[in-house]
């Protein structure tokens, strides 16, 4: 928490994007009568009634990472996932010079943020790079072990693929698959999301061609400040777009020197 803010933080999250577990966490927090909730909904539609229930009980709710725009949530903090997906689509198009086959691994199939990212990728490829085709997609449900299994199976089915993209934060699965084969970006392209330590190291080592990073640290500081403002009866911005940065070999040492 930022210095000077007197707040107790309760950190809870579902295992592997388990929607029912996230619903139970919301129910528990409502019962505890907490002063505010920040949630990255695994399934926006399924969580909307529980977000509304919290707000109706006098508990302000912020969404982060993935929005639930049809709920009574008071705001959203995070990247515009459609814009970030479009950025990934542009990276794919330029990296493959407009032609090739792509494998896609995503996470929780109902997660709105991941759906928006995929739509951004699809829209850019269709509009600007029609000779690039996503030939197979799988959803791991947020389980890195399943993501690795999915990737292995896709590689077996399409050994001549040109690029693997990962839309959720399971980039380490793709890195493992590439490392086991001795592949670098000179062999196949791996394009992922987020800046987990393994992903940034993968960029430095050459396994990862690029990653779309979201500056998640900014989510935390914005969430705390906005929830505290709401608790004090102040108005907040309904949308805090924290943006994204494409990290690759050209800027990884500048952005992540250690």
């Amino acid at each position: 928490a930022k210095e000077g803010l007197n707040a107790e933080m309760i950190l809870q999250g579902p295992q592997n994007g388990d929607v029912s577990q996230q619903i139970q966490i919301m129910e528990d927090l409502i019962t505890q009568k907490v002063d505010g909730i920040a949630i990255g909904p695994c399934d926006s539609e399924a969580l909307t009634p529980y977000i509304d229930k919290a707000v109706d009980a006098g508990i302000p709710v912020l969404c982060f990472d993935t929005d639930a725009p049809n709920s009574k949530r008071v705001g959203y903090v995070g990247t515009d996932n459609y814009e970030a997906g479009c950025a990934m689509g542009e990276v794919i198009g330029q990296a493959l010079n407009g032609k090739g086959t792509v494998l896609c691994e995503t996470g929780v199939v109902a997660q709105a943020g991941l759906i928006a990212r995929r739509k951004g990728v699809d829209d850019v490829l269709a509009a600007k790079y029609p000779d690039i085709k996503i030939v197979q997609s799988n959803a791991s449900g947020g389980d890195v072990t399943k993501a690795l299994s999915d990737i292995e199976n896709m590689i077996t089915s399409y050994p001549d693929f040109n690029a693997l993209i990962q839309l959720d934060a399971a980039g380490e699965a793709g890195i493992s698959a590439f490392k086991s084969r001795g592949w670098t970006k000179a062999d196949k392209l791996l394009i992922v999301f987020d800046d987990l330590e393994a992903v940034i190291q993968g960029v430095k080592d050459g396994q990862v061609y690029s990653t779309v990073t979201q500056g998640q640290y900014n989510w935390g500081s914005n969430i705390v400040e906005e929830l505290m403002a709401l608790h004090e009866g102040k108005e907040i911005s309904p949308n805090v777009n924290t943006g994204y940065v494409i990290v690759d070999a050209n800027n990884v040492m500048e952005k992540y020197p250690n």
Side-chain angles (χ1 to χ4, degrees), residues 192-211:
V192 302
F193 260 87
D194 292 334
D195 59 353
L196 298 175
E197 183 177 349
V199 168
I200 296 304
Q201 192 60 50
V203 176
K204 292 178 178 179
D205 292 343
Q207 265 90 34
V208 178
Y209 179 81
S210 69
T211 182

Side-chain angles (χ1 to χ4, degrees), residues 136-204:
Q136 188 171 354
S137 299
N138 278 299
S140 69
D143 185 333
V144 175
T145 301
K146 184 178 184 303
L148 178 55
S149 176
D150 287 347
I151 290 167
E152 294 286 357
N153 290 335
M154 286 192 291
I155 290 173
T156 299
S157 298
Y158 294 92
D160 295 328
F161 78 99
N162 301 110
L164 166 66
I165 63 172
Q166 293 188 253
L167 301 181
D168 66 342
E172 61 190 284
I175 293 168
S176 294
F178 274 44
K179 277 187 174 180
S180 70
R181 292 167 172 80
W183 287 347
T184 69
K185 61 187 179 183
D187 304 293
K188 308 278 189 180
L189 302 185
L190 177 58
I191 301 169
V192 302
F193 260 87
D194 292 334
D195 59 353
L196 298 175
E197 183 177 349
V199 168
I200 296 304
Q201 192 60 50
V203 176
K204 292 178 178 179

Side-chain angles (χ1 to χ4, degrees), residues 68-254:
N70 296 322
S71 72
K72 296 179 181 179
R73 60 93 171 122
V74 293
Y76 170 70
V77 174
T79 297
D80 182 312
N81 282 293
Y82 177 75
E83 288 182 359
C86 288
M88 177 179 270
E90 189 63 41
V91 169
I92 297 165
Q94 292 187 17
L96 294 180
N97 294 315
K99 187 174 184 179
T101 55
V102 177
L103 308 177
C104 175
E105 182 71 17
T106 188
V108 179
V109 69
Q111 190 168 329
L114 299 180
I115 294 170
R117 290 177 190 177
R118 175 61 190 265
K119 187 175 190 308
V121 170
D122 287 344
D123 285 355
V124 167
L125 295 185
K128 297 182 66 175
Y129 306 103
D131 290 329
I132 296 177
K133 304 297 182 184
I134 297 179
V135 293
Q136 188 171 354
S137 299
N138 278 299
S140 69
D143 185 333
V144 175
T145 301
K146 184 178 184 303
L148 178 55
S149 176
D150 287 347
I151 290 167
E152 294 286 357
N153 290 335
M154 286 192 291
I155 290 173
T156 299
S157 298
Y158 294 92
D160 295 328
F161 78 99
N162 301 110
L164 166 66
I165 63 172
Q166 293 188 253
L167 301 181
D168 66 342
E172 61 190 284
I175 293 168
S176 294
F178 274 44
K179 277 187 174 180
S180 70
R181 292 167 172 80
W183 287 347
T184 69
K185 61 187 179 183
D187 304 293
K188 308 278 189 180
L189 302 185
L190 177 58
I191 301 169
V192 302
F193 260 87
D194 292 334
D195 59 353
L196 298 175
E197 183 177 349
V199 168
I200 296 304
Q201 192 60 50
V203 176
K204 292 178 178 179
D205 292 343
Q207 265 90 34
V208 178
Y209 179 81
S210 69
T211 182
V212 184
T213 66
Q214 303 178 83
Q216 293 95 323
Y217 177 85
N218 294 326
W219 299 351
S221 57
N222 276 288
I223 286 166
V224 172
E225 290 175 2
E226 296 214 339
L227 285 177
M228 288 297 293
L230 288 167
H231 184 59
E232 295 166 0
K234 300 175 182 176
E235 291 188 3
I236 66 166
S237 171
N239 192 317
V240 178
N241 187 345
T242 55
Y244 62 85
V245 176
I246 305 296
V247 175
D248 57 24
N250 295 315
N251 63 358
V252 67
M253 294 309 299
E254 173 192 350

